[in-house]
Amino acid sequence: MKIFDDKITLVNGVQMPQLGLGVYKMTNPEETLEAISYALQIGYRAVDTAAIYNNEKETGEAVRQSGIPREELFITSKVWNDDQGYDETLRAFEASLERLGMDYLDLYLTHWPVAGKYVDTYRAIERLYDEKLVRSTGVSNHHIHHLENIFNVANVKPMVNQIELHPLLTQETLRNFCHDHEIAVTSWSPLARGGLMDNPLLNEIGLKYGKSPAQVIIKWHLQHGLIVIPKSVTPDRIKSNIEVKDFELAPEDMMKIDSLNKDERTGTNPEKFDEA
């Protein structure tokens, strides 16, 4: 089994695994613990959780049970919208650490850009970074104007921006902006929530390389220099998602996949996430 274990070096020198396990919507505690434990056992070294996922406790438990030294793992969590603001974020972080049973995080993110609060939220994350409670700083679902507002007050720019990104939503303008500002991009919903598995082009490319459409899409993210966090609770899928070390997509195949873009979201638009 050739697992993909490459890392991205963030702007501050911290090395972040380029492929990790996303645990969004893993709500059954036993199933969650089993999925994360299995992923760690076969070679995953990054887990992406969040306060709102309600599975930080299981994430921490899986890490402790794995026997893998904490410093060899990369754990990400996020502050939820209701807990945003400067002091509120500091308290939310403490609560996350307690649930995880850890004394630091590798990456802590603002979950969504809550109007009037996301800049102060990021300032709190900066403070946690200064106090060495987080090894790197970041945000999720931030557009260019959100990032620019943060730049106006931040001493340290966000090191990561986690956004919805897949072949139907390639986000090239935002990716280029992040690249120019040395912000690594993490793709959430990297497989478009399974909506691309029947795509004829991806199936055709998969046949060419002897890989599944999901593996082709994951490799497309990786070859674009993106960090990718596919979510699955199924052992076979968890395993196949990381078995993408042994092939390289040709430039023409990368371009064909790029051309699938329709600016089509499976999730919420960050400009409208708080409209209920």
Side-chain angles (χ1 to χ4, degrees), residues 88-114:
E88 295 88 340
T89 296
L90 298 176
R91 284 195 292 271
F93 176 79
E94 286 300 326
S96 280
L97 272 194
E98 196 170 317
R99 287 188 291 269
L100 286 155
M102 296 176 182
D103 52 15
Y104 72 94
L105 276 175
D106 297 281
L107 177 62
Y108 195 50
L109 308 174
T110 311
H111 210 135
W112 291 90
V114 176

Side-chain angles (χ1 to χ4, degrees), residues 2-163:
K2 292 198 81 175
I3 64 154
F4 187 91
D5 56 1
D6 290 15
K7 293 178 178 176
I8 292 270
T9 303
L10 303 179
V11 70
N12 66 342
V14 166
Q15 291 205 306
M16 179 175 182
Q18 199 181 350
L19 200 162
L21 181 73
V23 298
Y24 174 59
K25 285 194 172 172
M26 287 193 193
T27 50
N28 178 303
E30 196 175 312
E31 186 180 63
T32 302
L33 185 59
E34 282 177 14
I36 300 171
S37 297
Y38 177 71
L40 295 174
Q41 179 192 322
I42 64 167
Y44 282 78
R45 290 296 176 264
V47 181
D48 181 277
T49 183
I52 196 68
Y53 299 170
N54 205 26
N55 54 27
E56 289 174 314
K57 183 172 173 286
E58 289 74 24
T59 300
E61 209 171 311
V63 165
R64 284 187 293 281
Q65 288 181 12
S66 72
I68 299 163
R70 172 67 183 89
E71 62 272 15
E72 291 179 20
L73 299 172
F74 196 99
I75 309 299
T76 300
S77 195
K78 312 173 192 79
V79 53
W80 184 240
N81 306 340
D82 296 347
D83 295 322
Q84 286 196 34
Y86 188 83
D87 293 333
E88 295 88 340
T89 296
L90 298 176
R91 284 195 292 271
F93 176 79
E94 286 300 326
S96 280
L97 272 194
E98 196 170 317
R99 287 188 291 269
L100 286 155
M102 296 176 182
D103 52 15
Y104 72 94
L105 276 175
D106 297 281
L107 177 62
Y108 195 50
L109 308 174
T110 311
H111 210 135
W112 291 90
V114 176
K117 291 190 175 178
Y118 68 90
V119 173
D120 285 337
T121 298
Y122 182 76
R123 283 181 53 247
I125 294 172
E126 255 192 312
R127 176 173 163 180
L128 295 168
Y129 177 68
D130 290 341
E131 293 179 355
K132 298 188 166 35
L133 292 167
V134 300
R135 295 177 65 228
S136 34
T137 69
V139 295
S140 298
N141 303 304
H142 280 40
H143 283 168
I144 290 171
H145 68 94
H146 298 125
L147 293 168
E148 287 174 335
N149 286 338
I150 287 172
F151 294 170
N152 289 334
V153 299
N155 296 314
V156 176
K157 286 180 181 176
M159 297 165 196
V160 176
N161 187 13
Q162 185 178 129
I163 57 176

